[in-house]
Amino acid sequence: GGGAENALNMVRSQEVMRFNVLLETCRITLGLLRRAIKGLVVMSEDLDDMLSSLHNHQVPTKWSAAAYLSLKPLAGWIADLEIRVSFFRRWTLSGAPSAYLLPAFFFPQGFLTAALQRHARFYKLAIDTLAFDFHVLKHATGEDVAAPQDGVYVQGFWIEAARWDRRSKMLKTSLEGEMLVPLPLLHLLPSSASASAAVSHQRSNDSVEPKDVTAHPDAVASDVNCIYECPLYKTSARQGTVSTTGQSSNFVLFVLLPAQ
């Protein structure tokens, strides 16, 4: 229902506000710098630092302070910003996408919580009984895929020092010379023992027909050696600081993937 969808729309609105602040910061500081170079205003210490950063292909401090966590140099940072803004512009103008670009978010944890909230409200469950099941799909991206009935499709991930084997549907040792490989489309499916019972109860009393939370078309083969808790980070630095809210600045969550 609309109330359930509002959880994701609220996250989108908050993210759009953050991007508007960032873009306005870039616009204002570039305008001031342009005027300072022309001699129309005093070249302050902040503007001088910004000019040095731009000359050195680095992201100015004022910009990174208003931005998300990133290790990219200036050119890559701007290209990444364009991708992020484009994603949220399409979502705002054309409606919810079939797959969400999770790396585009300032705070992906907020989106993940909202996805659980949406599921909890729709099936009238307690959100603290839910956690995500993870299913890697055969599709590389969500371009030609319809949105799932339950949960969300997310994309934009890279695996470091391992690879996803599409045939066996599990993590395997990376091939020689490959440090980073893309992970195919990922289905985050809210689930729990109590959720399974509630879904079957809902199915018998309602016209709603959710997907079976215990079975999945991309379920893995039975010869899995282990389930690996794959840490998901915002950047390639495998570290982060814990904020006052208890969330890490870099670590997002563990993605449970079958491995050999």
Side-chain angles (χ1 to χ4, degrees), residues 27 29-40:
R27 188 187 67 79
T29 52
L30 283 171
L32 283 172
L33 182 60
R34 187 179 295 114
R35 295 181 68 195
I37 291 172
K38 290 180 178 178
L40 300 176

Side-chain angles (χ1 to χ4, degrees), residues 14-26:
Q14 292 168 346
E15 290 284 328
V16 167
M17 286 173 59
R18 295 181 186 109
F19 277 103
N20 283 337
V21 169
L22 172 56
L23 293 172
E24 185 69 0
T25 299
C26 295

Side-chain angles (χ1 to χ4, degrees), residues 8 111-123 125-135 148-154 186-199 210-216 253:
L8 293 185
F111 171 79
L112 298 175
T113 300
L116 290 175
Q117 283 177 339
R118 182 179 69 166
H119 191 88
R121 289 173 185 173
F122 190 77
Y123 291 113
L125 303 167
I127 189 172
D128 58 3
T129 66
L130 294 173
F132 285 117
D133 280 346
F134 305 92
H135 302 280
Q149 185 169 342
D150 291 318
V152 289
Y153 291 157
V154 289
L186 184 64
H187 187 185
L188 304 183
L189 185 60
S191 177
S192 72
S194 56
S196 300
V199 166
K211 286 183 181 176
D212 186 348
V213 296
T214 59
H216 196 278
L253 83 166

Side-chain angles (χ1 to χ4, degrees), residues 138-157:
K138 61 184 178 183
H139 311 279
T141 69
E143 272 188 30
D144 302 313
V145 179
Q149 185 169 342
D150 291 318
V152 289
Y153 291 157
V154 289
Q155 60 186 353
F157 306 122

Side-chain angles (χ1 to χ4, degrees), residues 12 15-16 19 81-105 111 153 155:
R12 175 186 57 80
E15 290 284 328
V16 167
F19 277 103
L81 174 60
E82 290 177 343
I83 290 171
R84 292 172 185 247
V85 170
S86 175
F87 167 74
F88 282 103
R89 181 179 288 123
R90 286 197 307 273
W91 184 359
T92 301
L93 298 178
S94 305
S98 57
Y100 295 86
L101 186 66
L102 198 62
F105 289 75
F111 171 79
Y153 291 157
Q155 60 186 353

Side-chain angles (χ1 to χ4, degrees), residues 13-238:
S13 297
Q14 292 168 346
E15 290 284 328
V16 167
M17 286 173 59
R18 295 181 186 109
F19 277 103
N20 283 337
V21 169
L22 172 56
L23 293 172
E24 185 69 0
T25 299
C26 295
R27 188 187 67 79
I28 291 174
T29 52
L30 283 171
L32 283 172
L33 182 60
R34 187 179 295 114
R35 295 181 68 195
I37 291 172
K38 290 180 178 178
L40 300 176
V41 297
V42 175
M43 178 71 79
S44 67
E45 186 176 343
D46 280 350
L47 290 175
D48 192 45
D49 288 344
M50 180 178 172
L51 186 60
S52 296
S53 295
L54 295 175
H55 276 153
N56 294 324
H57 307 290
Q58 296 172 340
V59 180
T61 305
K62 290 263 189 185
W63 295 7
S64 57
Y68 34 80
L69 201 62
S70 177
L71 302 177
K72 297 179 185 296
L74 183 62
W77 188 89
I78 291 174
D80 181 46
L81 174 60
E82 290 177 343
I83 290 171
R84 292 172 185 247
V85 170
S86 175
F87 167 74
F88 282 103
R89 181 179 288 123
R90 286 197 307 273
W91 184 359
T92 301
L93 298 178
S94 305
S98 57
Y100 295 86
L101 186 66
L102 198 62
F105 289 75
F106 268 75
F107 297 110
Q109 292 98 328
F111 171 79
L112 298 175
T113 300
L116 290 175
Q117 283 177 339
R118 182 179 69 166
H119 191 88
R121 289 173 185 173
F122 190 77
Y123 291 113
K124 297 178 174 57
L125 303 167
I127 189 172
D128 58 3
T129 66
L130 294 173
F132 285 117
D133 280 346
F134 305 92
H135 302 280
V136 181
L137 308 188
K138 61 184 178 183
H139 311 279
T141 69
E143 272 188 30
D144 302 313
V145 179
Q149 185 169 342
D150 291 318
V152 289
Y153 291 157
V154 289
Q155 60 186 353
F157 306 122
W158 293 82
I159 308 172
E160 184 176 9
R163 64 186 171 90
W164 181 258
D165 186 75
R166 290 170 183 264
R167 180 171 295 176
S168 61
K169 298 180 181 178
M170 67 179 74
L171 277 181
K172 289 191 174 182
T173 306
S174 56
L175 300 175
E176 189 173 350
E178 281 188 345
M179 271 302 293
L180 290 170
V181 293
L183 181 72
L185 195 63
L186 184 64
H187 187 185
L188 304 183
L189 185 60
S191 177
S192 72
S194 56
S196 300
V199 166
S200 59
H201 174 75
Q202 180 87 10
R203 181 180 297 157
S204 61
N205 290 283
D206 241 339
S207 59
V208 177
E209 282 292 329
K211 286 183 181 176
D212 186 348
V213 296
T214 59
H216 196 278
D218 288 271
V220 299
S222 58
D223 57 347
V224 174
N225 286 9
C226 68
I227 298 296
Y228 174 59
E229 290 188 339
C230 185
L232 177 64
Y233 294 100
K234 298 178 187 177
T235 74
S236 58
R238 299 183 184 181

